[in-house]
Amino acid sequence: MKGYQYLLDYFENSPTIIQVLWVMIVLFIVIIIILIIYLKLLRSRLRKKEKIVVQYQNEYESYLISYLYSGNEEEEISAEQQVIVNKLKSCVPDKFKRHVVVSTLLRLRNEISGEMAESIQKLYFQTGLINYALSSLKSKKWYVVAKGIRELAQFHVKEVNAQIVIHVNNSNKEIRKEVQLYLVTLFHFEGLKFLDVLQTQLSEWDQIQLLEVLQRFDEQEIPNINKWLKSTNDSVVIFAIKLAKIYNQFEAKDTLLELLEHRQKKIRVEAIQVLSHLQVYEAKELLKNKFDKLSLEEQIAFFKLLENVFESSDESFLQEHIQNKNFEIQVSALKIFKLLNIEKFHSFKRLLLAPKDAEIIEFIENN
Amino acid sequence: MSNVKKIVLAEDNSTLSLLLKFRLEKEGYKLLIAIDGKEAVELIEQHDPELILTDIMMPFISGLEVISHVRNKLNKQTPIIVFSAAGQEEMVLKAFNLGANDFMGKPFSPNELVIRVKRLLR
Amino acid sequence: MNTSTVQIIIFIIHFLFFVYACTAIASYIILAIISSKETIEYMKKNSFVNYKEILSSTISPSITIIAPAYNESLNIIENVRSLLSSHYVNYDVVIVNDGSKDDSLEKMIVAYDLVKVDFLINQQIPTKPIRAGVFKSTNPAFEKLTVVDKVNGGKADALNMGLNISKSDYVACIDVDCLLLENSLQKMIKPFLEVTDKTVIATGGVIRIANSCIIKDGKLLDVNFPKKLIEKAQILEYIRAFLLGRMAWSRLNGLLVISGAFGLFNKKVAIEVGGYDTNTVGEDMELIVRMRRYMEETKQKYKVAYIPDPLCWTEAPDNYKIFISQRNRWTRGTIETLRMHRKVAFNPKYKSLGLLSYPYWLFYERLAPVIEAIGIIYFIILAALNEVRWDYALAFIILAYLFAVLFSIVAIFSEELTYHQYKKKGTGFKLIMISMLEPFVLHPFILYAAIRGNMDYYFNKKKKWGEMTRKGMTKTETN
C-alpha cells in the first residue's frame, strides 16, 4: 500500500514528459497483453479450423462419391441421390461449409470428364451452389466477382455468358483475367472474340493461361487470326503471333510478313521467330536486304530463321558474319556454313585465329 | 482370394483416388492408394501389384521416377498407366520411353480408365 | 571553448539522437502499416490463383536454377535432388562446383550418371576457367541437370559462370543447401509475367529457417520450432524482416536486397550490367543496386518484386560464433555496396532509389549500429560522471523495449494471419516469449557483429583481402 502511494506521488511530482512516457508505457503493456490473448485465441481457432476442414472434406468427399455411384438411367435423380442433395443443401448456406463443398466438387471436376463430370455439374445446380456464384457477380468487391466468375468457368456454366461478357474491359485486372479464362474455357476458340474489343493489355501470364486452356481441346479449327495480327492493341498482336506459331498458321503468312515493319521491336522479333518456325523463305530475302538496319535482337532472330531456311545463295552473306561480334550470330553463321560448304568451313580454321573463334569452330565441328 | 488382382494407384488428389478406388473395386480389383511417389514405390515393393496407375506430377518422387524404379531397379514388367495433365506431352513421351504401357490425359473419364485397366489385365 | 558553446553542442547532439530515434520509430510504424496493406492485397489476389495451370505449360518462359557449391560433399546428392523436384516444366538446374576440394563432383557423377559433354560457353561475363568440364546425365530422369566444374573463384564468380551457361530467359540464383518447395518457381516467375508496362528485373523470395524442421529426401515434411534461443530469435527476426520490412519496401518499389539464398533474375539485364561483382562480400545486394541503377540511367521503367510465400528453407547458424561471422560479413557487404554506389545517394536523377531507398539503408541499416554504439558509450560516460537523469532514462528505456516487443508481436500476427507455419500447440507462447527475450539474447550480438564488421572493413584490410582469396560459400549464407 505504501509502495503504491510512493509511485503515485512520484508520478504526480514528475515533469510532464515523464508522465506522458509512463502513460504510454502502461498503454503499451495493455496493448501487448490484449494482443497476447488475441494471439492465443487466433491460434487455437486456426488449428480448429484446419481440423474441421479436413473433417468436412472427408464427409463431402464420400457424399460426392456415393452420389456419383448411386445414379441410375431411369430417373433424373435417384432416391439415394436426393438424400445426398438434401444433406449438401443444408450445408450450403453456411459460407465456410459452402467453400469446402465447392472445393471438394472442383477437385474432382477438374480431373475427370464424361458422364461423371456432368453429374458433378448437375449436383452443383441441384444443391443451389450456382445461385451463390451468380449473386457474387453483383458484389462490389473485385475479388468476390473474380472468384465467382472463376467458379462458373470451372463448373462450365455457359448460360450466364451475357452477365460475364460485360466485364471484358473491367477496370480490375483480375476480373478481366477471369472473364477471359471463362470465355476460352467454355467457348474455346469462339471465346477469343473478346480480343476484338479488348482495350487493355494482355499480360504474358494471361496469354500463357489462355493458350494453356486452348491446348486442352482437340479441335484444330482455329478462327482467322489476321484481324488480331493487325490489332492496334500490341498485346493482342503478340498473342496472335503465339497462336500462329502453336497452330502453324501458314494462312497468316502475309500478315506476319507485314509485321516485320511493325513499330514495336518486340513484335518484329516475335514475327521473325514465328516466320522461322513456319520456314517462310520470303522473310529471309526481306530481312537479308535490310539486315544492317535491324536491331541486334532482330539480327539474332534472323540468324535463327536462317538456320531453318538457308540456301546456297546465302553463302556470301554468311561469310560476312563468321566473325560477327555477337556470339550467337557468329555461332549461327558458322553452323550454317558447316552444313552448306564443309570445305570452306574447314578453311576457316586457318582464317580465324583468335582462340575464342577456334573454340567455336572446334565445337561446331564436333557437334 | 489370391486371384484378386492388386492395383497400386499413386495420385495426390484424394478425391480422385477415392472415386477410382470405388470404381475399380466394383470391378473386383484390390486398390492400394499412395498419395505420392514415395508411398507408391513402397507399396509396389511390398505388395507386388498386377498393375500400377500413377500420376506424372506428384510431390517429390515424380511418376517418371516411379516408372524408372519399377523397370530399372526392380526389373519388373508390371503394366503401368500414367495420368498426365494437359501440356505435359513431353513428359508422356518420356514416360513411354521409360516403359509406361498406356496414358490417360486429364481430365479423363473413369469408365474409359476401367476399360483400359481391363485390357491390360486380361 | 566556453561552457555555453559546450552546452549548445551537447544540446545539438541530444537533439540529433532524439530526432534519429523518433524517425526510426516512425519509419517502423509506417513500414508496418504499408506492409499490412500490401499483404492483405497480396493474399486476396493469390487466394484463387491456380498455379497448377501454369506449371505444366511448355509455353511458359524458361528458368535456370543456378546453385554454386563449394565443399558440399556431405549433402550435395540430396540437395541436388531437391532442386530437381520442382514442378515447373520449363526449367533446368546448373550446379557450379566452385573448385571444391572434396569429392562433390565424383559423388554427383556416380549418383546422377553424369558424363562429360562438349559445351560451348558464351563467355559474356569473365570468370575463372572450367576445371574438369561440363557434365550432363545419361539418365533421362535427370536430363534437367547440368554440372559445371570450375576453378575456385568464390560465390559471385560461380554464379557468373552459371549466368554464362544458362540458355534461359530467367535465372534463379540460390544456395545449394536451400530447400525449395515444388511450386516455388511458378510463384516467383509470376511477377515477371504479370506486368505490361515495365520490366521486372528481379523477384526476391522469403528465406525461412529450417533448423529442427523434418526434412526427408529433400522434402519438407514437418515444420518445427527449434529449441535453442539463438535459432528461435532468428526465426522471429526473419519473420519481422521479411513479412513487415520487405513487404513494405516492395510496395514502395524500393527493395535494395534480394536474398542471395533465393532470387529470380531477368538474365538479360543481369548480364547487361556485368553479372555479380567478385570484389565484394555482399554480391547479392550489390547486384540489385547496380541493376536498379542501370535501369534508372537508361531510363527504363522497372520493378523489383517480392513474393512473401515461404518457398525457400535453409539452415541458420545455431551458434554465436558462426552467427557473428555471418553478420560481420553482411555488414561489410552493406558498407561496400553503399560505398560503391555513393553516386546514387540523394541524387534526384535516381528518383526513389536515390532519395528514399539509399538514404534509408544508409541511416537505418548501415549507420544504425554505429549510432547505437555511440549512444551506449555516451550513456556510460554520463553514468560515470553521474550526469544521467535516471527517471528519464528508465522511462525511455522501458518504452523503447516495449515498442520493440510490440513490433515483434505485430510481426507474429502477420505471420499467423498469412502463412501460419508454426501450427503446433504451444509455439504461440514460445513466439511471444522470444519476442520479449530477443532484445537481450540476439540484438547485442547483432550489434557486436556489426561493429566488428565496421572495424574489419576500415581497419583490417588484411582480413578483408585474406577472406576474398579463400572465399568459398559457407553453409550459412542467407541474406
Side-chain angles (χ1 to χ4, degrees):
Chain A
M1 214 40 217
K2 226 178 171 180
Y4 175 71
Q5 192 58 44
Y6 171 77
L7 281 178
L8 211 65
D9 287 345
Y10 168 78
F11 183 75
E12 273 170 9
N13 297 328
S14 295
T16 331
I17 290 194
I18 298 219
Q19 286 182 353
V20 171
L21 289 179
W22 280 102
V23 169
M24 281 178 74
I25 287 172
V26 172
L27 189 72
F28 272 35
I29 291 175
V30 172
I31 295 174
I32 288 174
I33 291 171
I34 292 172
L35 285 180
I36 291 174
I37 295 168
Y38 181 53
L39 186 73
K40 171 97 190 133
L41 292 174
L42 177 71
R43 285 182 58 91
S44 46
R45 209 176 67 208
L46 286 172
R47 256 200 309 276
K48 224 161 81 194
K49 194 174 147 191
E50 226 158 80
K51 263 190 220 141
I52 293 175
V53 169
V54 174
Q55 190 195 321
Y56 283 165
Q57 203 174 312
N58 288 336
E59 191 186 330
Y60 301 148
E61 210 170 72
S62 58
Y63 284 165
L64 174 61
I65 306 284
S66 38
Y67 175 90
L68 292 175
Y69 286 123
S70 53
N72 55 41
E73 261 139 54
E74 296 93 62
E75 309 162 89
E76 171 69 18
I77 179 166
S78 71
E80 290 155 74
Q81 280 181 322
Q82 190 58 53
V83 174
I84 292 167
V85 169
N86 292 342
K87 273 187 197 163
L88 287 175
K89 237 181 183 164
S90 68
C91 302
V92 161
D94 181 300
K95 195 178 159 197
F96 178 68
K97 289 182 180 172
R98 180 170 71 238
H99 191 78
V100 183
V101 175
V102 169
S103 73
T104 309
L105 294 189
L106 277 179
R107 268 158 66 90
L108 205 52
R109 179 68 187 83
N110 294 337
E111 305 276 33
I112 60 170
S113 63
E115 274 168 52
M116 281 196 175
E118 281 158 32
S119 299
I120 295 175
Q121 194 174 343
K122 222 159 78 188
L123 184 61
Y124 182 68
F125 279 85
Q126 285 162 349
T127 49
L129 282 168
I130 171 124
N131 301 327
Y132 291 94
L134 287 177
S135 65
S136 71
L137 292 183
K138 295 183 191 88
S139 171
K140 284 201 175 63
K141 296 182 185 129
W142 65 263
Y143 57 92
V144 176
V145 180
K147 234 179 201 163
I149 298 174
R150 157 163 293 215
E151 196 179 303
L152 292 166
Q154 283 170 320
F155 284 106
H156 292 237
V157 186
K158 285 186 181 174
E159 296 83 344
V160 292
N161 181 15
Q163 287 172 62
I164 287 174
V165 167
I166 50 169
H167 292 294
V168 159
N169 283 315
N170 192 296
S171 61
N172 185 287
K173 196 165 101 183
E174 303 298 321
I175 293 182
R176 290 200 304 267
K177 185 167 77 194
E178 294 306 328
V179 171
Q180 293 156 10
L181 286 172
Y182 171 90
L183 292 171
V184 171
T185 308
L186 302 196
F187 304 98
H188 310 181
F189 286 110
E190 194 66 14
L192 284 178
K193 273 192 185 139
F194 78 86
L195 293 174
D196 300 346
V197 293
L198 187 71
Q199 287 154 8
T200 49
Q201 298 289 305
L202 273 177
S203 74
E204 191 77 25
W205 179 269
D206 301 338
Q207 296 183 26
I208 292 171
Q209 289 204 307
L210 292 175
L211 292 170
E212 192 64 23
V213 174
L214 288 172
Q215 284 184 310
R216 274 185 232 149
F217 310 121
D218 295 327
E219 66 218 84
Q220 296 294 318
E221 200 55 44
I222 103 153
N224 188 339
I225 61 167
N226 278 314
K227 61 172 182 249
W228 298 327
L229 286 173
K230 288 176 181 161
S231 171
T232 48
N233 184 332
D234 289 348
S235 66
V236 171
V237 179
I238 288 177
F239 183 69
I241 293 177
K242 288 194 180 122
L243 285 173
K245 187 169 175 191
I246 294 170
Y247 297 98
N248 295 318
Q249 294 297 294
F250 288 103
E251 299 83 351
K253 187 188 78 186
D254 293 327
T255 323
L256 286 169
L257 286 169
E258 283 167 33
L259 288 180
L260 295 177
E261 304 292 337
H262 200 274
R263 77 200 132 73
Q264 279 279 345
K265 184 166 83 182
K266 187 167 191 274
I267 290 178
R268 296 198 300 269
V269 172
E270 301 237 359
I272 297 175
Q273 281 164 355
V274 66
L275 288 164
S276 157
H277 173 80
L278 298 173
Q279 309 204 350
V280 178
Y281 281 80
E282 289 109 299
K284 185 186 73 179
E285 293 307 325
L286 268 170
L287 291 163
K288 208 164 85 176
N289 292 333
K290 58 169 189 171
F291 183 81
D292 295 328
K293 287 183 213 121
L294 299 178
S295 67
L296 183 62
E297 282 98 328
E298 287 168 87
Q299 292 184 340
I300 293 171
F302 170 68
F303 265 90
K304 289 273 167 274
L305 175 131
L306 209 52
E307 282 182 37
N308 285 335
V309 297
F310 65 85
E311 292 162 298
S312 50
S313 58
D314 299 323
E315 212 180 289
S316 60
F317 173 79
L318 283 166
Q319 196 149 4
E320 289 168 33
H321 292 284
I322 54 164
Q323 292 207 71
N324 194 301
K325 275 201 268 327
N326 183 282
F327 177 84
E328 284 165 77
I329 293 179
Q330 188 184 12
V331 171
S332 246
L334 285 165
K335 236 189 229 167
I336 301 168
F337 232 107
K338 183 188 165 190
L339 298 168
L340 211 57
N341 187 341
I342 188 86
E343 280 121 56
K344 213 157 189 187
F345 174 78
H346 284 302
S347 73
F348 292 151
K349 255 192 273 187
R350 273 162 284 133
L351 212 71
L352 304 175
L353 289 172
K356 190 175 140 266
D357 298 334
E359 206 180 300
I360 295 174
I361 291 193
E362 196 191 316
F363 176 82
I364 292 172
E365 200 173 3
N366 299 333
N367 286 281
Chain B
M1 266 322 273
S2 63
N3 57 359
V4 174
K5 290 187 171 156
K6 280 176 293 194
I7 301 176
V8 165
L9 166 64
E11 165 63 58
D12 56 349
N13 181 335
S14 66
T15 320
L16 182 62
S17 291
L18 195 64
L19 177 91
L20 296 179
K21 185 177 153 81
F22 269 66
R23 186 74 185 82
L24 289 163
E25 289 194 338
K26 233 164 61 178
E27 302 292 329
Y29 303 113
K30 168 124 184 66
L31 263 279
L32 302 155
I33 308 281
I35 55 158
D36 60 33
K38 196 154 180 57
E39 270 189 38
V41 167
E42 280 161 17
L43 284 176
I44 292 163
E45 286 180 355
Q46 244 173 57
H47 298 276
D48 189 18
E50 273 77 20
L51 177 77
I52 298 163
L53 305 172
T54 176
D55 194 8
I56 285 191
M57 204 75 96
M58 276 185 303
F60 194 49
I61 291 195
S62 74
L64 294 182
E65 285 181 81
V66 173
I67 303 170
S68 163
H69 187 86
V70 172
R71 293 284 185 265
N72 302 330
K73 296 266 154 59
L74 303 178
N75 280 320
K76 287 245 160 65
Q77 290 311 313
T78 319
I80 299 175
I81 304 180
V82 291
F83 304 153
S84 73
Q88 295 179 350
E89 288 73 19
E90 219 182 304
M91 296 269 213
V92 172
L93 283 180
K94 257 184 255 165
F96 277 118
N97 284 339
L98 284 166
N101 301 67
D102 201 351
F103 96 100
M104 307 256 331
K106 281 180 183 177
F108 59 75
S109 146
N111 292 334
E112 199 186 325
L113 177 73
V114 171
I115 294 166
R116 298 204 193 187
V117 166
K118 278 186 179 163
R119 200 178 54 204
L120 278 171
L121 284 180
R122 205 162 43 199
Chain C
M1 245 193 308
N2 56 35
T3 42
S4 72
T5 12
V6 172
Q7 265 174 351
I8 289 171
I9 291 171
I10 288 179
F11 176 78
I12 290 173
I13 291 174
H14 288 187
F15 181 71
L16 287 178
F17 268 116
F18 187 71
V19 168
Y20 184 81
C22 287
T23 50
I25 287 174
S27 78
Y28 281 126
I29 295 172
I30 293 168
L31 288 178
I33 292 168
I34 297 173
S35 104
S36 56
K37 273 193 173 165
E38 178 73 1
T39 307
I40 291 168
E41 184 88 339
Y42 179 84
M43 295 309 277
K44 270 185 199 159
K45 241 175 99 175
N46 278 264
S47 60
F48 54 92
V49 177
N50 189 354
Y51 287 99
K52 259 198 163 167
E53 271 166 21
I54 185 155
L55 65 90
S56 60
S57 178
T58 40
I59 14 177
S60 55
S62 48
I63 304 176
T64 299
I65 295 180
I66 304 174
Y70 178 72
N71 291 348
E72 299 272 357
S73 168
L74 199 59
N75 296 313
I76 191 89
I77 301 304
E78 280 295 291
N79 292 339
V80 171
R81 188 170 187 82
S82 152
L83 296 182
L84 286 171
S85 62
S86 173
H87 278 180
Y88 195 78
V89 168
N90 203 357
Y91 88 107
D92 64 337
V93 177
V94 173
I95 306 291
V96 185
N97 188 28
D98 188 35
S100 294
K101 294 183 188 76
D102 59 8
D103 58 346
S104 302
L105 182 65
E106 289 71 25
K107 271 191 167 173
M108 282 191 278
I109 288 175
V110 174
Y112 296 108
D113 313 318
L114 299 180
V115 288
K116 197 176 164 199
V117 292
D118 246 358
F119 201 98
L120 187 59
I121 299 172
N122 179 7
Q123 223 195 22
Q124 299 171 83
I125 308 166
T127 61
K128 288 270 158 54
I130 297 274
R131 189 172 63 175
V134 180
F135 298 81
K136 301 230 14 131
S137 176
T138 51
N139 183 343
F142 305 124
E143 62 150 24
K144 289 187 186 313
L145 179 65
T146 307
V147 174
V148 191
D149 188 71
K150 67 181 272 290
V151 174
N152 180 274
K155 187 177 175 183
D157 195 61
L159 288 166
N160 286 339
M161 173 64 87
L163 282 170
N164 285 337
I165 283 200
S166 162
K167 292 198 165 72
S168 307
D169 301 329
Y170 298 95
V171 288
C173 297
I174 86 160
D175 284 352
V176 74
D177 61 340
C178 276
L179 185 133
L180 290 189
L181 298 195
E182 289 124 346
N183 57 359
S184 48
L185 290 181
Q186 46 266 34
K187 287 200 172 175
M188 294 283 283
I189 194 77
K190 189 169 177 241
F192 290 95
L193 307 179
E194 267 183 333
V195 291
T196 48
D197 55 347
K198 52 185 130 197
T199 313
V200 173
I201 52 174
T203 301
V206 169
I207 309 303
R208 290 287 188 142
I209 293 176
N211 298 34
S212 297
C213 292
I214 298 174
I215 293 170
K216 216 180 151 204
D217 304 322
K219 188 180 170 189
L220 182 68
L221 295 181
D222 197 10
V223 177
N224 286 321
F225 202 61
K227 292 227 155 48
K228 281 191 188 169
L229 274 180
I230 182 175
E231 296 169 319
K232 287 196 271 197
Q234 283 179 90
I235 286 181
L236 183 68
E237 190 200 4
Y238 277 41
I239 289 175
R240 226 170 34 212
F242 284 111
L243 290 187
L244 292 186
R246 294 215 184 158
M247 199 70 199
W249 280 110
S250 99
R251 171 71 171 233
L252 299 169
N253 191 15
L255 278 174
L256 281 197
V257 181
I258 275 187
S259 305
F262 185 34
L264 195 55
F265 296 84
N266 182 323
K267 192 183 82 179
K268 194 166 153 266
V269 180
I271 286 179
E272 270 167 21
V273 301
Y276 285 93
D277 188 328
T278 50
N279 291 315
T280 171
V281 288
E283 71 285 328
D284 41 9
M285 178 179 182
E286 201 279 332
L287 178 66
I288 290 296
V289 177
R290 192 146 34 89
M291 283 170 84
R292 294 190 78 115
R293 222 181 128 172
Y294 170 82
M295 295 305 276
E296 294 284 1
E297 282 164 3
T298 51
K299 301 219 166 19
Q300 300 180 62
K301 276 177 110 181
Y302 71 98
K303 189 180 162 164
V304 176
Y306 169 71
I307 294 292
D309 299 37
L311 300 174
C312 174
W313 295 72
T314 191
E315 293 279 327
D318 62 351
N319 66 63
Y320 283 106
K321 194 167 167 265
I322 298 178
F323 176 77
I324 287 170
S325 83
Q326 178 196 43
R327 296 306 161 103
N328 179 326
R329 197 174 55 244
W330 290 5
T331 303
R332 279 179 286 133
T334 305
I335 301 173
E336 282 169 351
T337 305
L338 291 177
R339 275 181 64 106
M340 273 188 220
H341 298 282
R342 253 176 312 199
K343 214 186 128 199
V344 171
F346 311 106
N347 189 338
K349 207 180 99 191
Y350 294 98
K351 293 187 215 111
S352 79
L353 173 64
L355 300 177
L356 191 66
S357 301
Y358 189 103
Y360 182 87
W361 269 82
L362 180 63
F363 287 120
Y364 301 106
E365 298 283 342
R366 157 78 185 88
L367 290 176
V370 179
I371 291 171
E372 188 177 348
I374 294 171
I376 290 171
I377 293 165
Y378 185 64
F379 185 77
I380 290 171
I381 293 171
L382 288 185
L385 298 173
N386 212 3
E387 288 279 347
V388 176
R389 291 281 303 271
W390 285 103
D391 47 351
Y392 280 84
L394 187 70
F396 270 114
I397 289 172
I398 294 177
L399 196 60
Y401 170 74
L402 288 175
F403 180 79
V405 173
L406 190 61
F407 194 68
S408 292
I409 292 179
V410 171
I412 296 171
F413 264 94
S414 61
E415 158 73 3
E416 296 297 349
L417 291 170
T418 52
Y419 300 110
H420 188 47
Q421 293 291 306
Y422 298 98
K423 298 187 172 74
K424 303 232 165 83
K425 221 175 162 169
T427 311
F429 178 69
K430 286 180 194 158
L431 278 165
I432 294 288
M433 282 312 288
I434 199 69
S435 67
M436 303 205 174
L437 289 175
E438 197 237 31
F440 308 111
V441 299
L442 195 73
H443 185 76
F445 295 94
I446 294 176
L447 181 62
Y448 171 72
I451 296 300
R452 279 288 299 272
N454 272 279
M455 310 261 268
D456 286 344
Y457 179 78
Y458 288 105
F459 308 116
N460 199 350
K461 296 278 175 194
K462 208 171 121 200
K463 170 163 184 176
K464 190 179 151 198
W465 290 111
E467 191 178 52
M468 220 125 39
T469 48
R470 53 157 198 85
K471 186 175 60 185
M473 272 72 55
T474 42
K475 266 192 79 71
T476 49
E477 193 83 46
T478 38
N479 190 17

